[in-house]
Amino acid sequence: MPDTTSLDPDPALLPSADDVRFYAEHGWYLSPKLLTDDEVDALVDASERYYSGERDRELPHHPAKLSYWTAADGDVQRNNDYVHYESDAIAAILRKPAIAATAARLAQVDLIRMFQATLLYKPPQPGEKSNIVPWHFDKYYWASCSSENLITAFIPFHHCDESLGTITMVDGSHRWSEFRGWDSRNGHAAVEGDQQREHLLAEASRRNDADVVKVPMTIPKGHMTFHHCRLYHGSGANISDRPRRAISMHMQDGSNTYRDPRLATDSRQTTYKHDELVRRTADGVPDYADPEYCPVLWQEGRPSA
């Protein structure tokens, strides 16, 4: 795939100082139009080819906990991890410099690598339980990451609002403290009658003496949201008459490395999918800078092409 990391994005597209302060306080950011209509439409076309079986390369094997929808799974919510690895057409658009440069500015770092990208599809079925994404924060799944600066871009392939089951942010929740002795991540196991896991938010907010402020994102075509790895978020049912299509693009800063997840006190997740796929460092641990799976997307100060 082409190397776009040395290209300079239009400065007018990047977050301002006020935007960076907003992100630090609230944990999320709605971008200006970073993708053209043609690029968004190309994502739709490439995703349809992907769903029909087209691959530029395939994962050498499927790790544990891999999300990988196939037609045999039926008309449920589709989640396909590593789409940036298997589809060059999708990867080329995700590597547009404005995306990672935005992430770098919000996280206040000078290098951004891919971490993982998941292709998403919510069928237009209001009663489909798989369409509900319960409240969670991404770092729960990333106990093997040393950094606290990972950031996710949610990239819809069309105008996206509540009727389609848009992403909803819990404003400022990335600043909530976690408490030893009460593992809030127990909430990742749903309890009967609480599909959204409201009990998780209620307990976490109570312990932080904080209000739960839910902000559903209305995202125009070509725009996207960014959120901090510790921000609680989720999404509801798709009650529209068309599918909700998107990519969840997780990005890591240059300081992020593998850490033994057994040393983490804030997660029950023990391993990540990368640990079965990426190359090893000289110390024999998974290399989260493996360019095959985690290429550099943006580096401050590289000369313009």
Side-chain angles (χ1 to χ4, degrees), residues 241-255:
D241 60 359
R242 57 195 175 95
R244 194 207 74 178
R245 302 169 182 266
I247 282 176
S248 186
M249 178 180 175
H250 307 303
M251 290 168 278
Q252 56 179 320
D253 58 288
S255 72

Side-chain angles (χ1 to χ4, degrees), residues 44-66:
V44 175
D45 292 343
S47 68
E48 282 301 301
R49 296 196 303 273
Y50 181 90
Y51 289 135
S52 69
E54 179 182 290
R55 302 289 187 274
D56 294 294
R57 67 192 56 78
E58 296 186 3
L59 294 172
H61 68 278
H62 284 191
K65 301 186 176 76
L66 182 76

